[in-house]
């Protein structure tokens, strides 16, 4: 929902006849793009001080603001709420997510991708040497922990739902605690985000990723079909097509991994 910014404080003060001895900063008249992202998926994105921050937030802002907008990443609610608001058009942009049929119904996707997310299979360390994993069928019958609203692509989502015993919870910390109590066997989750969550939650050395990833998924910036920004996808995509972009993203992921862990 792109909208105009409110008048600056300086303009309001003038209308009210309030004198000021200091010059006010210039007003920002750029139209505002409302954006959202996952609230707990560092270093890609997470909630801090009422804002969604992280590598996804930075590159989405850079890609869109170069077109003359200002991106507002103030928190709208948890992941399900973010997606619901993109569906209704209350939010213009989902800053990074996997593509799936449900999201295709209400979003259009920027090409090329903004990043790749390696989905690891996390297990208790004591089971890491005994659980052979080289293909999805090796996971048949296992107890799987997943975060509510998280998608890892339609094929893997459907496989897990059909062939494993899925239990969905609110966040990654809850899944790690369940694993520590032997209530689930595996946690498919992003390698970077999962590694950070393990460190943060006090389970380093107890829960580890298997060497073979379950998949490498493409993260994309998506735009609500109801947003005026939907007509400008090729211009947004030009940012991610630049030769220097992969190194930019790599450095941002490293930086925001440090930022997140140092704040804990």
């Amino acid at each position: 929902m792109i909208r105009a910014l409110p008048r600056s404080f300086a303009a309001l003060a003038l209308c009210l006849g309030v004198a000021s001895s200091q010059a006010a900063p210039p007003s920002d008249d750029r139209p505002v793009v409302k954006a959202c992202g996952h609230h707990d998926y560092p270093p890609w994105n997470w909630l801090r001080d009422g804002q969604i921050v992280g590598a996804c937030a930075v590159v989405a802002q850079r890609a869109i603001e170069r077109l003359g907008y200002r991106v507002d990443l103030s928190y709208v609610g948890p992941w399900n709420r973010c997606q619901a608001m993109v569906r209704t058009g209350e939010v213009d942009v989902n800053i990074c997510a996997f593509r799936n049929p449900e999201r295709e119904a209400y979003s259009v996707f920027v090409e090329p991708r903004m990043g790749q997310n390696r989905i690891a299979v996390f297990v208790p360390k004591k089971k890491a040497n005994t659980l052979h994993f080289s293909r999805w069928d090796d996971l048949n019958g296992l107890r799987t922990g997943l975060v509510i609203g998280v998608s890892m692509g339609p094929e893997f989502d459907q496989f897990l739902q059909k062939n494993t015993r899925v239990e969905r919870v609110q966040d990654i910390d809850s899944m790690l605690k369940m694993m520590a109590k032997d209530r689930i066997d595996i946690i498919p989750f992003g390698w970077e985000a999962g590694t950070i969550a393990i460190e943060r939650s006090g389970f380093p050395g107890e829960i580890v990723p298997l060497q073979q990833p379950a998949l490498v998924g493409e993260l994309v910036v998506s735009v609500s079909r109801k947003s005026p920004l939907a007509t400008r996808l090729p211009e947004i995509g030009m940012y991610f097509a630049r030769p220097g972009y992969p190194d930019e993203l790599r450095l941002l992921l490293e930086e925001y991994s440090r930022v997140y862990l140092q704040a804990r």
Side-chain angles (χ1 to χ4, degrees):
M1 182 177 64
I2 299 174
R3 61 193 185 280
L5 282 170
R7 293 179 178 177
S8 68
F9 176 82
L12 181 59
L14 182 62
C15 291
L16 295 175
V18 178
S20 173
S21 61
Q22 297 181 345
S27 63
D28 187 342
D29 294 326
R30 294 175 295 172
V32 176
V33 170
K34 183 60 188 167
C36 68
H38 199 284
H39 61 283
D40 190 23
Y41 206 74
W44 297 94
N45 37 240
W46 76 94
L47 174 62
R48 184 183 69 186
D49 299 329
Q51 298 283 320
I52 295 295
V53 300
C56 289
V58 171
V59 299
Q61 282 182 308
R62 290 174 179 174
I64 295 169
E65 290 190 343
R66 59 192 284 274
L67 304 181
Y69 299 97
R70 183 175 74 80
V71 175
D72 175 13
L73 276 160
S74 54
Y75 184 54
V76 301
W79 186 227
N80 278 351
R81 174 70 172 158
C82 166
Q83 295 170 81
M85 293 181 75
V86 174
R87 183 184 299 111
T88 62
E90 297 170 88
V91 165
D92 297 282
V93 178
N94 184 336
I95 58 175
C96 65
F98 285 131
R99 187 172 187 160
N100 64 24
E102 179 183 358
R103 293 169 187 164
E104 287 176 340
Y106 59 81
S107 303
V108 286
F109 298 86
V110 174
E111 299 289 349
R113 64 178 182 256
M114 62 76 55
Q116 285 187 306
N117 190 16
R118 179 167 43 134
I119 301 299
V121 177
F122 290 88
V123 300
K125 185 177 181 180
K126 60 186 178 182
K127 295 182 180 180
N129 294 327
T130 58
L131 179 56
H132 171 76
F133 174 62
S134 61
R135 55 179 185 167
W136 292 355
D137 284 344
D138 295 327
L139 306 177
N140 285 347
L142 296 180
R143 299 169 297 172
T144 301
L146 295 174
V147 174
I148 295 170
V150 167
S151 169
M152 290 169 285
E155 293 183 0
F156 194 44
D157 290 349
Q158 291 168 13
F159 170 83
L160 292 173
Q161 192 63 45
K162 181 179 178 181
N163 297 284
T164 72
R165 290 174 283 170
V166 172
E167 184 161 354
R168 288 194 176 267
V169 296
Q170 289 293 330
D171 52 44
I172 180 65
D173 289 347
S174 298
M175 289 195 296
L176 294 172
K177 292 174 183 176
M178 291 172 65
M179 179 165 281
K181 295 177 181 179
D182 195 30
R183 292 173 54 191
I184 54 176
D185 301 307
I186 60 171
I187 298 173
F189 207 70
W191 188 89
E192 293 93 350
T195 301
I196 287 176
I198 289 168
E199 181 75 22
R200 172 191 67 195
S201 300
F203 295 108
E206 297 179 41
I207 298 174
V208 297
L210 297 178
Q211 184 175 3
Q212 174 69 30
L215 60 94
V216 179
E218 295 193 348
L219 290 172
V220 292
V221 174
S222 61
V223 177
S224 172
R225 291 183 180 273
K226 297 183 178 181
S227 171
L229 196 63
T231 62
R232 306 198 68 177
L233 298 189
E235 296 169 89
I236 300 171
M238 290 174 63
Y239 189 86
F240 305 121
R242 295 176 300 114
Y245 176 71
D247 285 339
E248 175 186 346
L249 179 60
R250 175 181 56 80
L251 292 173
L252 284 169
L253 289 169
E254 292 173 0
E255 175 187 350
Y256 278 97
S257 293
R258 291 191 298 269
V259 166
Y260 184 83
L261 289 173
Q262 287 171 359
R264 291 287 153 172

